[in-house]
Short mmCIF file of all heavy atoms in Angstrom, two decimals:
data_model
loop_
_atom_site.label_atom_id
_atom_site.label_comp_id
_atom_site.label_asym_id
_atom_site.label_seq_id
_atom_site.Cartn_x
_atom_site.Cartn_y
_atom_site.Cartn_z
N ASN A 7 -14.58 -8.42 13.85
CA ASN A 7 -15.80 -7.91 13.20
C ASN A 7 -17.01 -8.77 13.55
O ASN A 7 -17.77 -9.21 12.69
CB ASN A 7 -15.60 -7.81 11.69
CG ASN A 7 -14.60 -6.74 11.30
OD1 ASN A 7 -14.06 -6.05 12.15
ND2 ASN A 7 -14.33 -6.61 10.02
N ASN A 8 -17.17 -9.02 14.85
CA ASN A 8 -18.31 -9.75 15.43
C ASN A 8 -18.35 -11.24 15.09
O ASN A 8 -19.38 -11.88 15.26
CB ASN A 8 -19.64 -9.10 15.04
CG ASN A 8 -19.80 -7.74 15.68
OD1 ASN A 8 -19.47 -7.55 16.84
ND2 ASN A 8 -20.29 -6.78 14.91
N THR A 9 -17.22 -11.80 14.65
CA THR A 9 -17.13 -13.23 14.37
C THR A 9 -16.03 -13.82 15.24
O THR A 9 -14.90 -13.31 15.25
CB THR A 9 -16.82 -13.48 12.88
OG1 THR A 9 -17.85 -12.89 12.09
CG2 THR A 9 -16.75 -14.97 12.58
N SER A 10 -16.32 -14.88 15.97
CA SER A 10 -15.31 -15.52 16.82
C SER A 10 -14.27 -16.24 15.97
O SER A 10 -14.63 -16.97 15.04
CB SER A 10 -15.96 -16.51 17.78
OG SER A 10 -16.74 -15.83 18.72
N LYS A 11 -13.01 -16.01 16.31
CA LYS A 11 -11.89 -16.66 15.63
C LYS A 11 -10.93 -17.18 16.69
O LYS A 11 -10.79 -16.58 17.76
CB LYS A 11 -11.13 -15.67 14.73
CG LYS A 11 -11.97 -15.01 13.66
CD LYS A 11 -12.24 -15.96 12.52
CE LYS A 11 -12.99 -15.24 11.41
NZ LYS A 11 -13.31 -16.13 10.31
N THR A 12 -10.25 -18.28 16.38
CA THR A 12 -9.28 -18.87 17.30
C THR A 12 -7.89 -18.77 16.70
O THR A 12 -7.69 -19.06 15.52
CB THR A 12 -9.64 -20.35 17.56
OG1 THR A 12 -10.97 -20.42 18.06
CG2 THR A 12 -8.70 -20.96 18.57
N PHE A 13 -6.93 -18.34 17.54
CA PHE A 13 -5.54 -18.19 17.12
C PHE A 13 -4.63 -18.77 18.19
O PHE A 13 -5.05 -18.98 19.33
CB PHE A 13 -5.19 -16.70 16.93
CG PHE A 13 -5.98 -16.02 15.85
CD1 PHE A 13 -7.08 -15.23 16.15
CD2 PHE A 13 -5.62 -16.16 14.52
CE1 PHE A 13 -7.81 -14.60 15.17
CE2 PHE A 13 -6.34 -15.53 13.52
CZ PHE A 13 -7.44 -14.76 13.84
N SER A 14 -3.37 -18.99 17.83
CA SER A 14 -2.40 -19.44 18.84
C SER A 14 -2.14 -18.30 19.81
O SER A 14 -2.38 -17.12 19.51
CB SER A 14 -1.11 -19.91 18.17
OG SER A 14 -0.45 -18.82 17.56
N LYS A 15 -1.62 -18.64 20.97
CA LYS A 15 -1.45 -17.68 22.07
C LYS A 15 -0.55 -16.50 21.71
O LYS A 15 -0.77 -15.39 22.17
CB LYS A 15 -0.89 -18.42 23.29
CG LYS A 15 -0.83 -17.59 24.53
CD LYS A 15 -0.36 -18.41 25.71
CE LYS A 15 -0.29 -17.55 26.94
NZ LYS A 15 0.20 -18.29 28.09
N ASP A 16 0.48 -16.71 20.89
CA ASP A 16 1.44 -15.65 20.58
C ASP A 16 1.17 -14.97 19.24
O ASP A 16 2.09 -14.44 18.61
CB ASP A 16 2.86 -16.23 20.59
CG ASP A 16 3.28 -16.64 21.99
OD1 ASP A 16 2.89 -15.95 22.95
OD2 ASP A 16 3.98 -17.66 22.12
N THR A 17 -0.07 -14.92 18.80
CA THR A 17 -0.41 -14.33 17.51
C THR A 17 -0.33 -12.81 17.57
O THR A 17 -0.89 -12.17 18.46
CB THR A 17 -1.82 -14.75 17.08
OG1 THR A 17 -1.86 -16.17 16.96
CG2 THR A 17 -2.20 -14.13 15.74
N THR A 18 0.39 -12.23 16.60
CA THR A 18 0.46 -10.78 16.48
C THR A 18 -0.61 -10.31 15.49
O THR A 18 -1.23 -11.12 14.80
CB THR A 18 1.84 -10.33 15.95
OG1 THR A 18 2.01 -10.87 14.64
CG2 THR A 18 2.96 -10.78 16.87
N VAL A 19 -0.78 -9.00 15.41
CA VAL A 19 -1.75 -8.45 14.47
C VAL A 19 -1.36 -8.83 13.04
O VAL A 19 -2.21 -9.23 12.24
CB VAL A 19 -1.85 -6.91 14.63
CG1 VAL A 19 -2.71 -6.31 13.54
CG2 VAL A 19 -2.41 -6.55 16.00
N VAL A 20 -0.07 -8.75 12.70
CA VAL A 20 0.40 -9.12 11.36
C VAL A 20 0.06 -10.58 11.06
O VAL A 20 -0.43 -10.91 9.98
CB VAL A 20 1.91 -8.86 11.21
CG1 VAL A 20 2.46 -9.50 9.94
CG2 VAL A 20 2.21 -7.38 11.21
N ALA A 21 0.30 -11.47 12.02
CA ALA A 21 0.00 -12.89 11.82
C ALA A 21 -1.50 -13.12 11.65
O ALA A 21 -1.92 -13.95 10.84
CB ALA A 21 0.55 -13.70 12.99
N MET A 22 -2.32 -12.37 12.39
CA MET A 22 -3.77 -12.49 12.25
C MET A 22 -4.20 -12.07 10.85
O MET A 22 -4.99 -12.77 10.21
CB MET A 22 -4.48 -11.61 13.29
CG MET A 22 -5.99 -11.57 13.11
SD MET A 22 -6.80 -10.27 14.05
CE MET A 22 -6.22 -8.80 13.21
N ILE A 23 -3.66 -10.96 10.37
CA ILE A 23 -4.00 -10.48 9.02
C ILE A 23 -3.62 -11.53 7.98
O ILE A 23 -4.39 -11.82 7.07
CB ILE A 23 -3.30 -9.13 8.75
CG1 ILE A 23 -3.92 -8.04 9.62
CG2 ILE A 23 -3.42 -8.75 7.27
CD1 ILE A 23 -3.13 -6.76 9.62
N ASP A 24 -2.42 -12.09 8.12
CA ASP A 24 -1.98 -13.14 7.19
C ASP A 24 -2.91 -14.35 7.26
O ASP A 24 -3.30 -14.90 6.23
CB ASP A 24 -0.54 -13.57 7.50
CG ASP A 24 0.48 -12.52 7.11
OD1 ASP A 24 0.15 -11.59 6.34
OD2 ASP A 24 1.63 -12.64 7.58
N ASP A 25 -3.24 -14.78 8.47
CA ASP A 25 -4.09 -15.95 8.66
C ASP A 25 -5.48 -15.74 8.07
O ASP A 25 -6.06 -16.65 7.50
CB ASP A 25 -4.19 -16.28 10.15
CG ASP A 25 -4.82 -17.63 10.40
OD1 ASP A 25 -4.34 -18.63 9.81
OD2 ASP A 25 -5.79 -17.71 11.17
N LEU A 26 -6.00 -14.52 8.19
CA LEU A 26 -7.32 -14.21 7.66
C LEU A 26 -7.28 -13.88 6.17
O LEU A 26 -8.32 -13.63 5.56
CB LEU A 26 -7.94 -13.03 8.43
CG LEU A 26 -8.24 -13.29 9.90
CD1 LEU A 26 -8.71 -12.01 10.58
CD2 LEU A 26 -9.26 -14.40 10.08
N GLN A 27 -6.08 -13.84 5.59
CA GLN A 27 -5.86 -13.54 4.17
C GLN A 27 -6.47 -12.19 3.78
O GLN A 27 -7.18 -12.06 2.79
CB GLN A 27 -6.40 -14.66 3.30
CG GLN A 27 -5.70 -15.98 3.56
CD GLN A 27 -6.24 -17.13 2.74
OE1 GLN A 27 -7.25 -17.00 2.06
NE2 GLN A 27 -5.56 -18.25 2.80
N ILE A 28 -6.16 -11.19 4.61
CA ILE A 28 -6.61 -9.83 4.38
C ILE A 28 -5.43 -9.01 3.88
O ILE A 28 -4.34 -9.10 4.44
CB ILE A 28 -7.16 -9.20 5.68
CG1 ILE A 28 -8.39 -9.96 6.16
CG2 ILE A 28 -7.48 -7.72 5.49
CD1 ILE A 28 -8.88 -9.55 7.52
N GLN A 29 -5.64 -8.22 2.85
CA GLN A 29 -4.59 -7.34 2.36
C GLN A 29 -4.44 -6.19 3.34
O GLN A 29 -5.42 -5.57 3.76
CB GLN A 29 -4.93 -6.82 0.98
CG GLN A 29 -3.81 -6.04 0.36
CD GLN A 29 -3.79 -6.19 -1.14
OE1 GLN A 29 -4.68 -6.78 -1.73
NE2 GLN A 29 -2.78 -5.65 -1.76
N SER A 30 -3.20 -5.89 3.73
CA SER A 30 -2.97 -4.90 4.79
C SER A 30 -3.04 -3.45 4.30
O SER A 30 -3.16 -2.54 5.11
CB SER A 30 -1.62 -5.15 5.46
OG SER A 30 -0.57 -4.99 4.54
N ASN A 31 -3.00 -3.24 3.00
CA ASN A 31 -3.10 -1.87 2.48
C ASN A 31 -4.53 -1.35 2.62
O ASN A 31 -5.49 -2.06 2.30
CB ASN A 31 -2.70 -1.81 1.00
CG ASN A 31 -1.23 -2.07 0.82
OD1 ASN A 31 -0.44 -1.97 1.75
ND2 ASN A 31 -0.84 -2.42 -0.39
N GLY A 32 -4.67 -0.15 3.13
CA GLY A 32 -5.97 0.49 3.20
C GLY A 32 -6.88 0.01 4.32
O GLY A 32 -8.09 0.16 4.23
N ILE A 33 -6.30 -0.59 5.38
CA ILE A 33 -7.14 -1.01 6.50
C ILE A 33 -6.68 -0.32 7.78
O ILE A 33 -5.53 0.10 7.89
CB ILE A 33 -7.16 -2.54 6.70
CG1 ILE A 33 -5.79 -3.08 7.09
CG2 ILE A 33 -7.73 -3.25 5.49
CD1 ILE A 33 -5.80 -4.54 7.54
N ALA A 34 -7.59 -0.22 8.71
CA ALA A 34 -7.29 0.25 10.06
C ALA A 34 -7.78 -0.81 11.03
O ALA A 34 -8.76 -1.52 10.75
CB ALA A 34 -7.99 1.58 10.34
N ILE A 35 -7.07 -0.94 12.14
CA ILE A 35 -7.43 -1.97 13.12
C ILE A 35 -7.57 -1.34 14.50
O ILE A 35 -6.70 -0.58 14.94
CB ILE A 35 -6.37 -3.08 13.16
CG1 ILE A 35 -6.35 -3.80 11.81
CG2 ILE A 35 -6.63 -4.06 14.30
CD1 ILE A 35 -5.34 -4.90 11.71
N ALA A 36 -8.69 -1.66 15.15
CA ALA A 36 -8.91 -1.24 16.54
C ALA A 36 -9.07 -2.51 17.36
O ALA A 36 -9.77 -3.45 16.95
CB ALA A 36 -10.14 -0.37 16.66
N ILE A 37 -8.39 -2.56 18.49
CA ILE A 37 -8.53 -3.67 19.42
C ILE A 37 -9.04 -3.12 20.73
O ILE A 37 -8.42 -2.21 21.31
CB ILE A 37 -7.19 -4.42 19.60
CG1 ILE A 37 -6.74 -4.99 18.25
CG2 ILE A 37 -7.34 -5.53 20.64
CD1 ILE A 37 -5.40 -5.70 18.29
N ASN A 38 -10.19 -3.63 21.16
CA ASN A 38 -10.84 -3.16 22.39
C ASN A 38 -11.02 -1.64 22.37
O ASN A 38 -10.72 -0.93 23.33
CB ASN A 38 -10.07 -3.62 23.62
CG ASN A 38 -9.93 -5.12 23.68
OD1 ASN A 38 -10.84 -5.84 23.31
ND2 ASN A 38 -8.78 -5.60 24.09
N ASN A 39 -11.49 -1.15 21.23
CA ASN A 39 -11.79 0.28 21.00
C ASN A 39 -10.58 1.19 21.00
O ASN A 39 -10.71 2.40 21.18
CB ASN A 39 -12.82 0.78 22.02
CG ASN A 39 -14.17 0.11 21.85
OD1 ASN A 39 -14.63 -0.09 20.73
ND2 ASN A 39 -14.78 -0.29 22.96
N THR A 40 -9.39 0.64 20.79
CA THR A 40 -8.17 1.43 20.70
C THR A 40 -7.52 1.17 19.35
O THR A 40 -7.26 0.01 19.00
CB THR A 40 -7.18 1.06 21.82
OG1 THR A 40 -7.81 1.29 23.08
CG2 THR A 40 -5.91 1.87 21.74
N ILE A 41 -7.26 2.24 18.59
CA ILE A 41 -6.61 2.09 17.29
C ILE A 41 -5.19 1.60 17.50
O ILE A 41 -4.45 2.12 18.34
CB ILE A 41 -6.57 3.45 16.54
CG1 ILE A 41 -7.99 3.93 16.22
CG2 ILE A 41 -5.73 3.34 15.27
CD1 ILE A 41 -8.72 3.12 15.19
N ILE A 42 -4.80 0.58 16.74
CA ILE A 42 -3.44 0.06 16.77
C ILE A 42 -2.76 0.55 15.50
O ILE A 42 -3.20 0.21 14.40
CB ILE A 42 -3.43 -1.49 16.83
CG1 ILE A 42 -4.31 -2.00 17.97
CG2 ILE A 42 -2.00 -2.01 16.94
CD1 ILE A 42 -3.94 -1.52 19.34
N THR A 43 -1.72 1.36 15.65
CA THR A 43 -1.06 1.92 14.48
C THR A 43 -0.33 0.82 13.72
O THR A 43 0.10 -0.18 14.30
CB THR A 43 -0.06 3.02 14.85
OG1 THR A 43 0.96 2.47 15.68
CG2 THR A 43 -0.74 4.17 15.57
N LYS A 44 -0.17 1.02 12.42
CA LYS A 44 0.46 0.00 11.58
C LYS A 44 1.87 -0.33 12.06
O LYS A 44 2.30 -1.48 11.95
CB LYS A 44 0.48 0.49 10.13
CG LYS A 44 0.63 -0.61 9.13
CD LYS A 44 0.30 -0.13 7.73
CE LYS A 44 0.19 -1.30 6.80
NZ LYS A 44 -0.28 -0.93 5.47
N SER A 45 2.57 0.64 12.63
CA SER A 45 3.92 0.38 13.12
C SER A 45 3.93 -0.55 14.34
O SER A 45 4.95 -1.16 14.66
CB SER A 45 4.62 1.70 13.48
OG SER A 45 3.95 2.36 14.53
N GLU A 46 2.79 -0.70 15.00
CA GLU A 46 2.68 -1.59 16.18
C GLU A 46 2.25 -3.01 15.82
O GLU A 46 2.35 -3.91 16.65
CB GLU A 46 1.65 -1.03 17.17
CG GLU A 46 2.03 0.30 17.79
CD GLU A 46 0.92 0.81 18.68
OE1 GLU A 46 -0.08 1.33 18.13
OE2 GLU A 46 1.05 0.68 19.92
N TRP A 47 1.74 -3.22 14.61
CA TRP A 47 1.16 -4.50 14.24
C TRP A 47 2.10 -5.67 14.42
O TRP A 47 1.68 -6.75 14.82
CB TRP A 47 0.68 -4.47 12.80
CG TRP A 47 -0.52 -3.61 12.54
CD1 TRP A 47 -1.19 -2.83 13.43
CD2 TRP A 47 -1.18 -3.45 11.29
NE1 TRP A 47 -2.23 -2.18 12.80
CE2 TRP A 47 -2.24 -2.53 11.50
CE3 TRP A 47 -0.98 -3.96 10.02
CZ2 TRP A 47 -3.10 -2.16 10.47
CZ3 TRP A 47 -1.83 -3.57 9.00
CH2 TRP A 47 -2.89 -2.69 9.23
N GLU A 48 3.36 -5.50 14.09
CA GLU A 48 4.30 -6.62 14.13
C GLU A 48 4.57 -7.11 15.55
O GLU A 48 4.85 -8.29 15.75
CB GLU A 48 5.62 -6.21 13.47
CG GLU A 48 6.50 -7.39 13.14
CD GLU A 48 7.66 -7.01 12.25
OE1 GLU A 48 7.45 -6.29 11.27
OE2 GLU A 48 8.77 -7.45 12.57
N ASN A 49 4.48 -6.23 16.54
CA ASN A 49 4.80 -6.60 17.92
C ASN A 49 3.59 -6.72 18.83
O ASN A 49 3.71 -7.22 19.94
CB ASN A 49 5.78 -5.58 18.51
CG ASN A 49 7.09 -5.58 17.78
OD1 ASN A 49 7.66 -6.64 17.50
ND2 ASN A 49 7.58 -4.41 17.43
N TYR A 50 2.42 -6.26 18.40
CA TYR A 50 1.23 -6.28 19.24
C TYR A 50 0.63 -7.68 19.24
O TYR A 50 0.17 -8.17 18.21
CB TYR A 50 0.20 -5.26 18.74
CG TYR A 50 -0.93 -5.02 19.71
CD1 TYR A 50 -0.93 -3.88 20.51
CD2 TYR A 50 -1.99 -5.92 19.85
CE1 TYR A 50 -1.96 -3.65 21.41
CE2 TYR A 50 -3.01 -5.69 20.74
CZ TYR A 50 -2.99 -4.56 21.51
OH TYR A 50 -4.01 -4.33 22.41
N LYS A 51 0.60 -8.33 20.40
CA LYS A 51 0.06 -9.68 20.51
C LYS A 51 -1.39 -9.64 20.96
O LYS A 51 -1.77 -8.86 21.83
CB LYS A 51 0.89 -10.51 21.51
CG LYS A 51 2.26 -10.82 20.98
CD LYS A 51 3.00 -11.75 21.89
CE LYS A 51 4.38 -12.03 21.32
NZ LYS A 51 5.16 -12.89 22.20
N LEU A 52 -2.18 -10.49 20.33
CA LEU A 52 -3.59 -10.60 20.68
C LEU A 52 -3.74 -11.29 22.03
O LEU A 52 -2.90 -12.11 22.42
CB LEU A 52 -4.34 -11.40 19.62
CG LEU A 52 -4.24 -10.91 18.18
CD1 LEU A 52 -5.06 -11.82 17.27
CD2 LEU A 52 -4.67 -9.47 18.05
N SER A 53 -4.81 -10.95 22.74
CA SER A 53 -5.12 -11.58 24.02
C SER A 53 -6.49 -12.23 23.94
O SER A 53 -7.34 -11.84 23.14
CB SER A 53 -5.14 -10.53 25.14
OG SER A 53 -3.88 -9.93 25.29
N ASP A 54 -6.70 -13.23 24.78
CA ASP A 54 -7.97 -13.93 24.82
C ASP A 54 -9.10 -12.92 25.07
O ASP A 54 -8.97 -12.00 25.88
CB ASP A 54 -7.95 -14.99 25.93
CG ASP A 54 -8.99 -16.06 25.74
OD1 ASP A 54 -9.33 -16.37 24.57
OD2 ASP A 54 -9.46 -16.60 26.74
N ASN A 55 -10.18 -13.07 24.33
CA ASN A 55 -11.39 -12.24 24.44
C ASN A 55 -11.23 -10.82 23.88
O ASN A 55 -12.09 -9.98 24.15
CB ASN A 55 -11.91 -12.20 25.88
CG ASN A 55 -12.31 -13.56 26.37
OD1 ASN A 55 -12.98 -14.31 25.66
ND2 ASN A 55 -11.89 -13.92 27.57
N ASP A 56 -10.16 -10.54 23.14
CA ASP A 56 -10.05 -9.23 22.48
C ASP A 56 -11.21 -9.05 21.50
O ASP A 56 -11.69 -10.02 20.90
CB ASP A 56 -8.74 -9.11 21.70
CG ASP A 56 -7.56 -8.69 22.55
OD1 ASP A 56 -7.77 -8.24 23.70
OD2 ASP A 56 -6.42 -8.80 22.06
N THR A 57 -11.63 -7.81 21.35
CA THR A 57 -12.62 -7.45 20.33
C THR A 57 -11.89 -6.63 19.29
O THR A 57 -11.35 -5.56 19.59
CB THR A 57 -13.78 -6.64 20.94
OG1 THR A 57 -14.40 -7.44 21.95
CG2 THR A 57 -14.79 -6.26 19.88
N ILE A 58 -11.85 -7.15 18.06
CA ILE A 58 -11.06 -6.55 17.00
C ILE A 58 -11.99 -6.05 15.91
O ILE A 58 -12.88 -6.77 15.45
CB ILE A 58 -10.07 -7.57 16.42
CG1 ILE A 58 -9.16 -8.08 17.55
CG2 ILE A 58 -9.27 -6.98 15.27
CD1 ILE A 58 -8.40 -9.33 17.22
N LEU A 59 -11.77 -4.81 15.48
CA LEU A 59 -12.53 -4.22 14.39
C LEU A 59 -11.56 -3.90 13.27
O LEU A 59 -10.57 -3.19 13.49
CB LEU A 59 -13.24 -2.95 14.86
CG LEU A 59 -14.07 -2.22 13.81
CD1 LEU A 59 -15.21 -3.10 13.30
CD2 LEU A 59 -14.62 -0.93 14.40
N ILE A 60 -11.81 -4.46 12.11
CA ILE A 60 -10.99 -4.19 10.93
C ILE A 60 -11.84 -3.37 9.97
O ILE A 60 -12.93 -3.79 9.56
CB ILE A 60 -10.52 -5.49 10.24
CG1 ILE A 60 -9.70 -6.33 11.24
CG2 ILE A 60 -9.70 -5.17 8.99
CD1 ILE A 60 -9.32 -7.69 10.72
N ILE A 61 -11.33 -2.19 9.64
CA ILE A 61 -12.06 -1.27 8.77
C ILE A 61 -11.27 -1.07 7.49
O ILE A 61 -10.06 -0.80 7.53
CB ILE A 61 -12.27 0.10 9.45
CG1 ILE A 61 -13.01 -0.08 10.76
CG2 ILE A 61 -13.00 1.07 8.54
CD1 ILE A 61 -12.99 1.14 11.65
N ARG A 62 -11.92 -1.24 6.36
CA ARG A 62 -11.28 -1.04 5.06
C ARG A 62 -11.73 0.30 4.49
O ARG A 62 -12.92 0.60 4.44
CB ARG A 62 -11.66 -2.17 4.11
CG ARG A 62 -11.02 -2.05 2.74
CD ARG A 62 -11.20 -3.27 1.89
NE ARG A 62 -10.73 -4.50 2.50
CZ ARG A 62 -9.44 -4.85 2.61
NH1 ARG A 62 -8.50 -4.05 2.16
NH2 ARG A 62 -9.11 -5.99 3.17
N SER A 63 -10.75 1.10 4.05
CA SER A 63 -11.07 2.38 3.45
C SER A 63 -11.60 2.15 2.03
O SER A 63 -11.21 1.20 1.36
CB SER A 63 -9.86 3.30 3.41
OG SER A 63 -8.85 2.75 2.58
N THR A 64 -12.51 3.01 1.63
CA THR A 64 -13.05 2.93 0.27
C THR A 64 -13.02 4.31 -0.35
O THR A 64 -13.02 5.32 0.35
CB THR A 64 -14.51 2.41 0.26
OG1 THR A 64 -15.31 3.28 1.06
CG2 THR A 64 -14.60 0.99 0.81
#
Side-chain angles (χ1 to χ4, degrees):
N7 292 359
N8 293 319
T9 301
S10 291
K11 301 284 184 182
T12 303
F13 297 100
S14 66
K15 187 176 179 182
D16 293 324
T17 300
T18 63
V19 173
V20 168
M22 174 194 68
I23 291 169
D24 288 344
D25 191 53
L26 296 174
Q27 299 178 352
I28 297 172
Q29 187 148 6
S30 63
N31 292 342
I33 64 170
I35 296 179
I37 299 177
N38 302 322
N39 295 318
T40 301
I41 296 290
I42 308 302
T43 62
K44 201 166 191 173
S45 63
E46 296 176 283
W47 290 3
E48 195 168 315
N49 297 314
Y50 192 101
K51 291 186 180 178
L52 305 181
S53 298
D54 201 31
N55 298 315
D56 276 347
T57 300
I58 302 165
L59 179 62
I60 301 174
I61 302 167
R62 180 170 305 284
S63 64
T64 58

